[in-house]
Amino acid sequence: MKLKRILGAALCAAMLLSSTSCLRFIVRNRSSQGNDTSSFEYDISSFDFFSSEEESSAVESTETEYGNATVGWFTLDGTFFQWYTPGNADTCVQYAQSPTEILTMDVFDCAAIKEQTGVDFDALTAANTKMYQLEQESKTQNIEKLTGAREALGQYPAYQVYCYYPNDDQYLVTWYMDSPDKTKVYYVAAEFRSTEMSFFNYAQTYKMPVN
């Protein structure tokens, strides 16, 4: 099972990582230290802090939606501004409260990815690709708490991948969700410092486009 995951991830990774830096996020240079890694075969829900059911209740509702009909929407307050990371795909949309507190949305076309890679692409494959990428990076970078989980984002079933960069005091939490017709994979991510843990709640307001 693990070999199949790695082979599928390796085939998808080159195409995914070259198509959008949303999947890479804003990763600074980090030194190589001890790592604590896991994958979807292990430790499925070991980090209860990121339980969406518990965290989403703390989100204050507002009337302002940020996003578009391609990638979806967040419901955010007026403290956010649009953010742009050079090299992102045209579909990638980002909003931030600061250079270290950033929300990201993107979408991937399953048929187009299969045509380029030969791999049947879905949310689980996308999440495993992210896990594979971070596992490889953890060999040379200081990455802790790397974990994959089946964890809903708001009302949507999702595969979650998260980790912590101690050198920058930065969490990265990502979700991958299949569209109802299985033709797209929607991607949401939140990046924040440990002093801003409540920022995670904003991601819980995500609303998927109607296919």
Side-chain angles (χ1 to χ4, degrees):
M1 180 66 179
K2 187 172 183 179
L3 177 60
K4 182 179 179 181
R5 175 181 69 82
I6 292 174
L7 289 175
L11 286 170
C12 289
M15 191 282 299
L16 286 177
L17 298 179
S18 64
S19 65
T20 173
S21 60
C22 283
L23 284 175
R24 286 169 289 187
F25 252 75
I26 305 170
V27 180
R28 269 78 51 186
N29 292 328
R30 299 179 171 91
S31 59
S32 176
Q33 297 182 22
N35 304 300
D36 177 16
T37 63
S38 57
S39 66
F40 281 104
E41 286 78 30
Y42 319 96
D43 215 7
I44 290 298
S45 57
S46 63
F47 197 17
D48 291 337
F49 180 85
F50 288 120
S51 170
S52 60
E53 186 174 332
E54 295 176 3
E55 296 291 343
S56 60
S57 62
V59 178
E60 296 182 4
S61 61
T62 68
E63 298 300 321
T64 304
E65 289 188 339
Y66 292 72
N68 58 51
T70 300
V71 296
W73 297 268
F74 292 122
T75 301
L76 306 174
D77 57 39
T79 62
F80 282 81
F81 52 89
Q82 192 157 10
W83 184 264
Y84 176 71
T85 302
N88 280 353
D90 292 340
T91 52
C92 188
V93 176
Q94 295 178 294
Y95 299 98
Q97 282 184 324
S98 76
T100 53
E101 276 65 54
I102 304 168
L103 294 172
T104 301
M105 295 180 285
D106 205 352
V107 62
F108 303 99
D109 185 284
C110 297
I113 291 176
K114 182 175 182 179
E115 182 178 352
Q116 296 181 54
T117 66
V119 175
D120 290 324
F121 189 76
D122 58 13
L124 178 57
T125 303
N128 277 332
T129 300
K130 185 63 174 179
M131 283 290 296
Y132 177 80
Q133 175 211 353
L134 290 172
E135 286 169 353
Q136 295 306 302
E137 290 181 0
S138 70
K139 296 176 181 179
T140 57
Q141 300 178 24
N142 191 10
I143 299 176
E144 298 179 353
K145 303 177 183 177
L146 176 55
T147 306
R150 296 180 180 92
E151 185 66 53
L153 179 63
Q155 62 181 303
Y156 306 109
Y159 293 95
Q160 182 189 81
V161 178
Y162 60 84
C163 66
Y164 177 64
Y165 296 96
N167 292 1
D168 299 310
D169 184 28
Q170 201 84 8
Y171 280 97
L172 172 62
V173 188
T174 65
W175 294 264
Y176 300 86
M177 297 157 283
D178 291 309
S179 64
D181 62 4
K182 308 298 183 181
T183 63
K184 299 179 180 68
V185 171
Y186 291 101
Y187 168 78
V188 170
E191 186 180 24
F192 50 91
R193 295 163 293 173
S194 63
T195 55
E196 303 292 336
M197 300 301 278
S198 62
F199 187 82
F200 173 86
N201 299 327
Y202 287 110
Q204 302 296 328
T205 69
Y206 175 74
K207 184 168 71 174
M208 187 181 292
V210 178
N211 289 331

